[in-house]
Amino acid sequence: MSEQLLKFESPEITDEQVMNIAESPKRFGSMNIDSLNNLRTKLDLPTSDQVEGEIDETDTQVVDLANRLLYVIDIFNHPLSSALIGRGREKQVRLKISMAIKFLIKRKSLEKVTTFIDRLTENEQFILAVQQNPEMISNLFSIYTHQEILTDPAKLSNFSYNMSLYGKALSDIRREGTLRMQNDPIAKEEELEAGAYREDLELQVRDAVFTLRRKGYNSFESGFGDKVTGEQFIGFDKTNAQRLPDIPDELTEELSSKSISISFKEMDDRYQLILTPVGEFPSIDEWKDIWGIVADLIPPISNLRAIENTHTNISRNFREKQDKLRKNLN
């Protein structure tokens, strides 16, 4: 995972946001320990070496639960899932699953997590879905909070589809981010204000984020939201949005024709602009077109473009690295 892989995450990260980031559903075959350590350092979590040592020496229950889950799913031997994971990745996969279980136990309880793992290992439809799409198991926290997928085949299918789509989006970020760093490492002015390269953002929201920033929306989070409903969102700071604009009827009607609902959600420190499918889930390219319509038709909240995003350590670190890079090049 590249250091720029993260979405614009919240200034105060919740448990679910941490796990959604730390367990980003990329293909296991693309994961490496160094990049995972970089991510966990950013989130002030133990590195893999620290966690692995703790798990090996003291967390026998964590190891037992992880081994039981992986044994039943059998993703290392199943023809499809083993090909998707890639050879030589067993240690990383076990470590990642163990860390996820350790995280859950810390925030829930051993009893609750044991019951949760029992439910997973006893659910044949879930096991089949994971074997066909190993990315699903990379985010245990989302599965824990959406255990209805274990009894609702439609929701299980939705979850699997959106996790796969999200995994593809993050894979594209890694690929495009690498090319950007190699070919054009100096950030543009708008990227400095946003605290990220354009390539750091999921493709479907990328253009919309910068269009909305030019309309005054000081965004700091964006992309896939709930993986069961398939929602997408862009979150932005309240400080320069004293009053949200009305959503134009033209925009509502245009999105309705594409089976998408639109709404604003108010939270303590931000607003979120949320798009939710009410029919079939769009593809990444279709989502890109949908977000383009939203960005074009939504009214501005300021005559000036968004102020500098200072909400996250990631955005601040991005600007610090850019300062050093510019000095080195000069």
Side-chain angles (χ1 to χ4, degrees), residues 104-121:
L104 279 171
I105 290 174
K106 182 177 179 180
R107 279 150 182 80
K108 304 301 177 182
S109 71
L110 175 61
E111 181 181 5
K112 289 181 178 180
V113 175
T114 300
T115 300
F116 168 60
I117 298 297
D118 287 341
R119 293 195 71 196
L120 298 186
T121 58

Side-chain angles (χ1 to χ4, degrees), residues 73-112:
I73 295 174
D74 199 27
I75 57 177
F76 300 133
N77 297 313
H78 188 275
L80 179 59
S81 60
S82 61
L84 292 173
I85 291 170
R87 292 185 178 182
R89 297 290 175 178
E90 289 85 353
K91 180 178 179 181
Q92 289 95 321
V93 173
R94 290 185 186 280
L95 173 60
K96 193 171 188 180
I97 297 300
S98 297
M99 288 192 296
I101 291 174
K102 184 179 178 71
F103 182 93
L104 279 171
I105 290 174
K106 182 177 179 180
R107 279 150 182 80
K108 304 301 177 182
S109 71
L110 175 61
E111 181 181 5
K112 289 181 178 180

Side-chain angles (χ1 to χ4, degrees), residues 34-287:
D34 288 340
S35 58
L36 184 58
N37 281 343
N38 289 339
L39 173 59
R40 297 189 68 80
T41 299
K42 285 182 196 283
L43 298 177
D44 195 26
L45 298 174
T47 66
S48 60
D49 290 338
Q50 294 169 324
V51 173
E52 187 175 16
E54 291 173 4
I55 289 173
D56 285 342
E57 295 174 7
T58 64
D59 292 336
T60 56
Q61 294 135 325
V62 171
V63 173
D64 288 344
L65 290 172
N67 286 339
R68 175 148 48 110
L69 178 60
L70 291 170
Y71 175 78
V72 171
I73 295 174
D74 199 27
I75 57 177
F76 300 133
N77 297 313
H78 188 275
L80 179 59
S81 60
S82 61
L84 292 173
I85 291 170
R87 292 185 178 182
R89 297 290 175 178
E90 289 85 353
K91 180 178 179 181
Q92 289 95 321
V93 173
R94 290 185 186 280
L95 173 60
K96 193 171 188 180
I97 297 300
S98 297
M99 288 192 296
I101 291 174
K102 184 179 178 71
F103 182 93
L104 279 171
I105 290 174
K106 182 177 179 180
R107 279 150 182 80
K108 304 301 177 182
S109 71
L110 175 61
E111 181 181 5
K112 289 181 178 180
V113 175
T114 300
T115 300
F116 168 60
I117 298 297
D118 287 341
R119 293 195 71 196
L120 298 186
T121 58
E122 295 167 0
N123 191 293
E124 293 182 1
Q125 293 302 313
F126 173 78
I127 293 169
L128 179 61
V130 174
Q131 289 173 340
Q132 295 175 340
N133 177 15
E135 291 160 353
M136 279 185 60
I137 202 64
S138 68
N139 198 323
L140 285 180
F141 197 96
S142 286
I143 297 172
Y144 187 94
T145 58
H146 282 302
Q147 292 188 48
E148 68 271 18
I149 68 175
L150 301 179
T151 55
D152 189 326
K155 289 185 177 180
L156 175 61
S157 177
N158 293 349
F159 187 83
S160 178
Y161 175 84
N162 285 304
M163 288 291 286
S164 179
L165 211 62
Y166 184 35
K168 182 182 183 304
L170 295 184
S171 178
D172 289 342
I173 288 176
R174 287 193 299 275
R175 175 176 51 80
E176 295 179 13
T178 298
L179 291 174
R180 174 63 190 272
M181 285 296 295
Q182 291 174 346
N183 301 324
D184 186 19
I186 300 297
K188 309 297 187 291
E189 189 63 28
E190 282 192 328
E191 292 173 323
L192 282 174
E193 291 172 350
Y197 293 122
R198 292 178 64 87
E199 290 79 6
D200 292 344
L201 309 184
E202 295 169 26
L203 174 64
Q204 74 279 6
V205 295
R206 189 176 298 166
D207 292 340
V209 163
F210 284 94
T211 298
L212 291 175
R213 289 188 64 81
R214 288 191 289 272
K215 290 186 173 185
Y217 295 83
N218 192 11
S219 57
F220 57 87
E221 55 181 1
S222 62
F224 278 84
D226 189 294
K227 306 302 187 303
V228 172
T229 64
E231 74 178 24
Q232 299 261 324
F233 74 104
I234 294 177
F236 52 96
D237 179 36
K238 275 186 173 182
T239 54
N240 64 331
Q242 301 303 318
R243 179 183 178 279
L244 285 174
D246 294 328
I247 298 174
D249 292 340
E250 177 187 4
L251 175 55
T252 301
E253 292 170 4
E254 180 72 17
L255 293 180
S256 179
S257 71
K258 298 181 180 297
S259 298
I260 301 292
S261 71
I262 181 171
S263 62
F264 281 113
K265 178 181 179 181
E266 183 175 2
M267 303 171 73
D268 289 341
D269 61 343
R270 77 201 73 179
Y271 295 108
Q272 289 181 337
L273 178 59
I274 299 175
L275 306 183
T276 307
V278 293
E280 293 186 2
F281 293 123
S283 66
I284 292 291
D285 288 339
E286 288 169 336
W287 269 124

